[in-house]
Amino acid sequence: MHTPTSGEQDLAPIDHIRATEAGTGRWRALTDWWRDNRATLFLRDNWLLGLFALAALAVLGVLLWAIWVLVTKLVVAVSAGLGAAGDWVTGGPITHSISDPMRAYLDAHTAGLPATGRDLWITWLVAVGVLYLGALAGSTYARVGWAAIGALTAAAVYAGAPAGTGPAAAGLTAAVWLALSLPAYAATSRVSLGDALDSLTDRRARRTVTDTTY
């Protein structure tokens, strides 16, 4: 066990005093900073305003959280509704009342052909989609083709429907086709094929005139 000498005993109080003075100095510096700093002065003079600001932030946080919950619920509900509507459109009774007779007609009239009824069905879907998009874009050719393929579809549905249901299936097809035709025939094209051809012709004419002037 180490026994401190007289010199070490004399230095111990001095070290204690220095440590105490250092601690006192740091505390004094901290209190001076709290007393003289502009930010702390503002906080001490406007502490009530700070409380109101904290309360406002808390209310704002709760409000934002409530809005977030509401928006999330709405998004989930809209997604569920759109999903149900999409399922009804793609697999509902109206769609099957048109597609099932159409597929039955194609399956019954493709015997001996290299292409199966499924191949013709996919081709029909692609043609309908392309013509409809073209009609929406304002293409006259696509609009004529959309009307023609609609008439052919109604005839195929009439022929492929079960006995006694042909008129109802064909009428339903015509009603759906007319409803889809509203935006297709109401859409206007900013640039038609004729305008594009006229612009190209004018550009070639101007280029020819420019070349002959040199």
Side-chain angles (χ1 to χ4, degrees):
M1 179 176 180
H2 174 69
T3 302
T5 62
S6 60
E8 293 176 346
Q9 292 177 354
D10 294 338
L11 290 176
I14 296 176
D15 294 338
H16 177 70
I17 292 172
R18 289 178 178 175
T20 304
E21 290 178 350
T24 304
R26 286 194 294 268
W27 175 255
R28 183 176 299 172
L30 181 61
T31 54
D32 291 342
W33 175 83
W34 175 259
R35 185 176 59 253
D36 300 332
N37 187 269
R38 293 182 178 179
T40 57
L41 287 174
F42 179 81
L43 289 176
R44 282 184 289 148
D45 294 338
N46 301 276
W47 64 270
L48 188 59
L49 181 62
L51 290 179
F52 281 121
L54 291 176
L57 288 176
V59 172
L60 180 61
V62 173
L63 181 61
L64 291 176
W65 176 80
I67 292 174
W68 171 256
V69 172
L70 179 61
V71 170
T72 303
K73 296 294 184 182
L74 287 176
V75 169
V76 172
V78 171
S79 299
L82 290 177
D87 293 339
W88 185 85
V89 170
T90 57
I94 302 299
T95 303
H96 279 288
S97 297
I98 299 174
S99 62
D100 290 351
M102 181 73 183
R103 297 203 62 174
Y105 176 83
L106 294 177
D107 291 337
H109 291 79
T110 53
L113 293 178
T116 63
R118 183 175 182 274
D119 297 331
L120 295 184
W121 169 251
I122 294 175
T123 304
W124 179 84
L125 290 177
V126 172
V128 167
V130 171
L131 289 175
Y132 190 68
L133 291 177
L136 289 176
S139 171
T140 303
Y141 171 80
R143 289 176 175 177
V144 173
W146 173 256
I149 201 171
L152 293 175
T153 300
V157 169
Y158 179 86
T165 62
L172 178 62
T173 303
V176 172
W177 217 267
L178 289 175
L180 293 176
S181 299
L182 290 177
Y185 290 103
T188 57
S189 176
R190 294 181 180 179
V191 180
S192 63
L193 180 60
D195 294 337
L197 293 176
D198 293 341
S199 177
L200 182 61
T201 303
D202 294 340
R203 186 180 302 175
R204 288 179 177 177
R206 289 195 300 268
R207 184 178 301 175
T208 302
V209 173
T210 304
D211 293 339
T212 56
T213 56
Y214 289 101

